[in-house]
Amino acid sequence: MDLTWRDFYRSPYLLFLSLMAIVGLYYELVPFWDPSRGFLHSSTILNPQSSILFDTACLGGTAAYFFLMPIHKRELALALSIGGLCEVYLIAKRLQFLGPWEQLLHLGPGLIIGVSIALVWRSIRYWRSRDSAQFKRTLEIFGLTISMPFFLAVGSMSLGGNLYVYDPHCYALDSLWGFQPSFVITKPLRSYQALEVFMYIIYFFLSVWMMLSQIVIFKENEKNNISHWRRLVPAIFFALIACFGNLSYAFVPAVGTDVYCGSNLFPNGPWIPPNPDPQPVQAPPIFSRSTIPSLHMGWILAVYYSIYLSRPLYRHIALGLVILTALSAFSVGSHWLLDLILACPFTVAILALCAVDAPAKLRWLIGSSLAILFCLGVYLLKFHTPLLMAHRGYTLTGFILTVLVSLYLGRLISKARVPKVLSPQERSPQEGV
């Protein structure tokens, strides 16, 4: 076996797996010196029963096994058997508060247990046979399989806690359009049950779309002899959006339209006049502070930019998902229009950080400009909402230009990306390919 520790930083996916191990260890140890914090494993065990986002992240993770690993029939049968039994157990636990059809939207946690066991078993076999290339590749895929449920579990432990929220500010700035966009968009989407369920699936199955885009890039790199390090790595792109997004949530916490307006008012109205000098209000700590910017919008834009250089069909599908996700963000009552607007410069700034296959000067210029623009927007939202409301024309023009300029610059970076194909002389067993 010629695999060394140096390979763990030569492959972004092995480095990603190592980072998860370090973060997981930290969250398992922190309760020993801070008893008010819970253990990571305790929180994770509860997620399959209550969090559909966690469940669909698990479902997305299983896709990495099915699409990237060579299938062995006996191993597949065993993985599906173990996963199926785990799903039956979880369904039985959820039947007291979820109906049979709703259970279909929560499939995934049991399956990921089955495929994780299969991946661990496969890696042990490759280790014993001293097949370092396949051992390394299996570890990379294992990291992808568990990545999204892992970081969602970690994220669920860090959200919330701030008593006051800034939804009044978002409500006031949305009202500058002359109506409440979230009310107007959501009302027809909730008028038809089939459409409401469809939007529900689009929103909560985001993790599946994210993993499928990562699978596309991983397979293209292998097919075209492109080093993973020499191209944008979707998994790292997604993780950085989550990390910086959590920092924004801590600075301007908000809970979204359903919680702030109340189900009796939202989305049927009538919408109340905004406060010209909005102040933070208290919200129950049980509701997560996960609104500004919309990470759902950020992640689906990241899907689009990740596969921008792939087949045109994939790019068109991703563009359709961007539009549908924007609509679904309103439909589920979790976001404001302002969240989606601020998500554009936020995401493209991180794209500039991650797009290693684009010219460095272009990335630095666009990334720094949009990062400043996003921070300025969040600062004005928190401290100077009355000023923005007093200059309605300038504010609305700024909103429109923010979206148009951000999306244009995102397209500019994506078109400038040229992943380098390795020649046979450049390739080596140590490359993260």
Side-chain angles (χ1 to χ4, degrees), residues 304-305 308-309 315 348 351 362 366 404-417:
Y304 175 74
Y305 290 128
Y308 191 90
L309 299 180
R315 188 166 68 248
V348 178
L351 168 66
L362 180 68
I366 292 177
L404 294 180
V405 170
S406 298
L407 296 181
Y408 170 76
L409 294 178
R411 184 171 179 267
L412 197 63
I413 292 178
S414 299
K415 292 182 68 174
R417 291 170 53 208

Side-chain angles (χ1 to χ4, degrees), residues 207-272:
S207 298
V208 177
W209 324 137
M210 291 164 64
M211 182 54 72
L212 290 177
S213 67
Q214 170 61 82
I215 289 169
V216 167
I217 300 305
F218 194 97
K219 296 184 74 171
E220 284 183 354
N221 290 351
E222 291 188 326
K223 179 181 178 181
N224 299 320
N225 296 333
I226 300 172
S227 168
H228 291 310
W229 267 130
R230 302 190 185 193
R231 190 178 187 184
L232 183 149
V233 178
I236 295 177
F237 192 8
F238 301 148
L240 288 177
I241 288 175
C243 292
F244 288 116
N246 276 334
L247 292 177
S248 179
Y249 293 164
F251 186 68
V252 278
V255 292
T257 51
D258 251 346
V259 174
Y260 175 67
C261 299
S263 56
N264 293 330
L265 182 67
F266 182 82
N268 299 309
W271 54 81
I272 60 176

